[in-house]
Amino acid sequence: MNKKFKNPFIDQIWNGIIRENPTFVLVIGMCPVLAVTTTASNALGMGLSSTAVLILSNMMIAAMRKIIPDGVRMPAYIVIVATFVTITDFLMEAYTPDLYKSLGVYIPLIVVNCIILGRAEAYANKNTVGMSAADGLGMGIGFTVALLLISSFREILGAGEWFGNTLYTESAFFAPIGILVKSPGAFFVLAIIIAMKNKWKWNADKKDACTHDCLSCGGCGTDK
């Protein structure tokens, strides 16, 4: 969980995917997480578009961090992010019209996504262009993985499909759980995944802290 890499770029990418995953650890940017994860294709489209905006906006803000006055930092960040979101919006409308229509207003709303603005203020404003690009890539991958995981649970169990392909139909043994592809299902699946992640982290931390004093513990299994 808290693994460190010698290469700072790889370590920063890993940080966004695992240690500070924006969805499962920081729990920010929840609006698209809950709204667009009804299908895996929507989740992938939102994740990749957010990743592109994260990387490009982080790089631009890092490159301009010394010339942006402190008093107008947030307005400047919003203008930079909005520029890349607009470009992404136009490209999606031109080359992926079906996905563009499906995501609707959530593409323009990337401008005010807490992940984008949060990384601009917390990281890109204080680091180099290269490290900021690595941070944007890590956060973007972490966000995309989270969206895909949640949407896969919802689409497979809630509709019997995955990326629009039918996996199973209603039978005497199992039927799709329709509530999972509705709004309450998003909260339910998110809560389960975060609980599983916290349990895994708790077990990993407990194992790392173990002194292998098996006479008084016996919990890690190293005496077997």
Side-chain angles (χ1 to χ4, degrees), residues 32 42 66 75 143 180 184:
N42 283 357
K66 294 182 179 179
F143 184 56
L180 292 181

Side-chain angles (χ1 to χ4, degrees), residues 1 24 27 41 58 78 103 108 125 128 150 208:
M1 176 68 72
F24 298 140
V27 196
S41 57
N58 266 16
I78 291 174
L103 292 176
N125 185 47
T128 64
I150 295 170
D208 290 341

